[in-house]
């Protein structure tokens, strides 16, 4: 009986310990009402109205200058979009979708006879043990996995995001 109790107790402790390492955090601070990305400065800020709650160093698409025009150009879009979806099972830890392309983006790409692309996200790292050097994404905005856990908890769907040159 003692042995069984020890085994069950040990199993319960291991299970509870695993729960403490969850990538899903909770946030009960001021609402994030706006996200601002300044590509040139490689900064992203989470704002509550006009007050900066948090700011982060970011990595961008591998060709960061200019607005994303077509699929595969390696650029991060510029303009005002919305956070429109979440991916808790992302290859890049966690991710928040950005509503690119909008109607104007689709029209511009159509005029060039190309696809505007899509699947632009704010996301974590693919390999947290490897130090990401320079801009490396295909047009997304990347932060560390730890930072992404906080951002994922703080930023809700429908939050506007302004991406500046």
């Amino acid at each position: 009986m003692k042995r069984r109790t020890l085994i069950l107790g040990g199993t319960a402790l291991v299970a509870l310990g695993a729960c403490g390492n969850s990538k899903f955090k909770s946030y009960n601070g001021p609402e994030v009402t706006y996200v601002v990305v300044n590509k040139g400065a490689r900064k992203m800020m989470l704002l509550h109205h006009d007050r900066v709650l948090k700011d982060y160093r970011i990595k961008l698409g591998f060709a960061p200058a200019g607005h994303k025009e077509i699929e595969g150009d390696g650029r991060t879009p510029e303009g005002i979009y919305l956070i429109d979806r979440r991916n808790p099972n992302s290859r890049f830890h966690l991710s928040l979708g950005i509503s690119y392309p909008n109607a104007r983006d689709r029209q511009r790409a159509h005029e060039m006879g190309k696809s505007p692309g899509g699947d632009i996200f704010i996301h974590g790292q693919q390999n947290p043990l490897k130090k990401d050097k320079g801009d490396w994404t295909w047009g997304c905005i990347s932060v560390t996995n730890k930072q992404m856990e906080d951002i994922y908890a703080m930023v809700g769907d429908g939050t506007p995001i302004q991406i500046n040159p």
Side-chain angles (χ1 to χ4, degrees):
M1 186 69 150
K2 262 187 171 180
R3 185 172 182 207
R4 182 173 174 233
T5 304
L6 282 173
I7 291 171
L8 289 174
T11 303
L13 283 174
V14 169
L16 285 173
C19 290
N21 246 353
S22 174
K23 65 183 177 179
F24 301 106
K25 305 225 167 135
S26 61
Y27 173 72
N28 60 2
E31 175 188 13
V32 174
T33 57
Y34 213 72
V35 177
V36 175
V37 172
N38 292 318
K39 289 171 48 174
R42 301 298 188 278
K43 281 273 200 199
M44 178 172 65
M45 295 170 284
L46 307 185
L47 287 87
H48 174 70
H49 301 295
D50 60 349
R51 188 180 69 158
V52 176
L53 298 172
K54 290 282 226 168
D55 63 87
Y56 303 93
R57 298 280 310 147
I58 59 171
K59 307 286 184 177
L60 299 169
F62 63 82
H67 174 63
K68 182 166 194 60
E69 294 182 323
I70 59 172
E71 184 172 15
D73 66 7
R75 293 183 180 150
T76 302
E78 297 171 356
I80 298 175
Y81 298 93
L82 294 174
I83 300 300
D84 66 351
R85 62 201 182 279
R86 316 179 150 267
N87 185 354
N89 300 311
S90 172
R91 288 184 337 179
F92 302 95
H93 193 56
L94 294 168
S95 60
L96 296 174
I98 297 173
S99 65
Y100 174 89
N102 60 28
R104 199 168 115 226
D105 298 322
R106 285 190 291 278
Q107 179 63 34
R108 194 171 22 230
H110 177 74
E111 289 169 359
M112 292 187 274
K114 305 279 185 175
S115 166
D119 285 340
I120 301 297
F121 288 86
I122 300 169
H123 62 66
Q125 304 158 279
Q126 188 169 25
N127 181 354
L129 300 177
K130 181 180 148 200
K131 181 93 167 142
D132 294 324
K133 295 182 180 165
D135 295 314
W136 62 273
T137 76
W138 283 88
C140 295
I141 299 162
S142 175
V143 294
T144 69
N145 287 353
K146 186 88 170 134
Q147 292 169 334
M148 191 61 222
E149 290 172 6
D150 292 338
I151 295 164
Y152 195 87
M154 293 175 75
V155 178
D157 289 354
T159 303
I161 178 169
Q162 179 175 329
I163 306 171
N164 301 317

